[in-house]
Structure formats: structure tokens, C-alpha cells
Amino acid sequence: APCDWQDCKWRVIGIDPGGGDPTAIYAIGVSHDERVHVYAPEFYQRGGVSTADMAAWIQRFDSVGKVQRVVVGETGGTTITTGLRQLGIRATQAFMHRDEGKEHVRWLLDNDRLTVDAKCEEMIAEFGLYRWRLKKDPYEADMYMTSMAGERHGDAMDALRYGVAAVITSLRG
């Protein structure tokens, strides 16, 4: 990490809620020289995850250094975002534009501005596998789907994309 969590100038949490996939939550900090780092421990859990479970994990980071924004990748409403707000967490719906979000992450990687703690094993495992492809049926509700090997779904990469997009699009200036 370029600095300790509490010394970051911006601190964001990215959440990709599970449903049928794993829930992935990551703490993303930006140093004063504008390097982005994903801090351990990661939250990556299969099965049901309650809003209270998410809030408890977030509050561990918030107690060390205030989290400016929690971005939640909800596609079917704002239930989790609203629940986190009711618990006093600064949650907002994530910036969901896939191509632009992927481009932000790619730019950080290409310019050596993004690092990930080695203990974030699920995220690291997804880096080389993350792809989006169009579904064959154009009338399906969501035209895109992740295409990953094995039991991977891209949840860690989505949470990263949401956090990075929040930093680049809303926390500048």
C-alpha cells in the first residue's frame, strides 16, 4: 500500500451484492500522490449476506479512517443502499456503466496507479479471467453477462470497478 488506510485522502468501499453470486466488498483508498490501493481484508462470501453483515465489515474500516462513500452495485432497486443508509453509512448506488468503469480500472493498471493487497486472493484470482460478453438473445433483461472460468462470476472485479468509478467520477476536485 502506498500509505496506511487512515492516511488516504479518499476512502471508498465498493460492494457487489451477491444474490445467487458471491457478495464482494472491498476497501479502496487513494493516497495523496493519487495511487489507488485495495486494502485487506477482503469480504467475499457465498450464500446469504445480510445488510447488517455488510455494515459490520464496513464499520471496521470506518472506525480507522472515515469512509467518504460506499458504492453499491444494485441493479434491481436500492434495498441494500437504503438499509446501509439507515444504519448511518454513506451509501449510494454505484456508477454502473460497464465500459467506462472497466476503462478507469484499465487506465490505473496501465499507468501503475493501482495495487491490490496480496491477501485479497479472490480479487487477484479474478483479474486474468474478467470478461464481458453480449448475450445471444437481445431481448433478455441484461444484454451483458460475465464470462469466466469455473465458479468465478466477476464479483470482486465488479466491486473494484464500482469503487474506482466513484473515485474518478465523483470524488475529484
Side-chain angles (χ1 to χ4, degrees), residues 101-113:
K102 289 188 315 185
E103 192 56 37
H104 292 325
V105 172
R106 183 185 336 271
W107 185 89
L108 290 171
L109 288 169
D110 288 347
N111 290 282
D112 295 323
R113 307 300 278 179

Side-chain angles (χ1 to χ4, degrees), residues 14-45:
I15 301 176
D16 184 50
D21 293 348
T23 295
I25 310 175
Y26 289 91
I28 301 163
V30 180
S31 64
H32 288 276
D33 64 350
E34 300 193 350
R35 296 188 179 279
V36 178
H37 184 74
V38 180
Y39 288 81
E42 67 186 338
F43 184 104
Y44 193 93
Q45 184 175 322

Side-chain angles (χ1 to χ4, degrees), residues 79-156:
T79 304
I80 296 168
T81 304
T82 301
L84 290 172
R85 284 184 191 161
Q86 290 171 343
L87 295 170
I89 293 173
R90 296 179 188 133
T92 187
Q93 206 161 13
F95 179 77
M96 301 292 283
H97 300 283
R98 286 184 185 99
D99 288 339
E100 190 172 347
K102 289 188 315 185
E103 192 56 37
H104 292 325
V105 172
R106 183 185 336 271
W107 185 89
L108 290 171
L109 288 169
D110 288 347
N111 290 282
D112 295 323
R113 307 300 278 179
L114 176 65
T115 53
V116 178
D117 189 287
K119 293 177 186 163
C120 295
E121 294 174 359
E122 297 290 347
M123 178 177 280
I124 292 167
E126 288 184 8
F127 264 101
L129 303 171
Y130 190 63
R131 305 285 186 275
W132 279 95
R133 64 180 170 88
L134 286 172
K135 289 184 179 180
K136 292 181 181 185
D137 182 357
Y139 298 103
E140 289 187 49
D142 188 355
M143 283 293 298
Y144 296 93
M145 59 188 294
T146 52
S147 176
M148 298 185 76
E151 295 296 315
R152 296 276 170 201
H153 296 275
D155 305 288

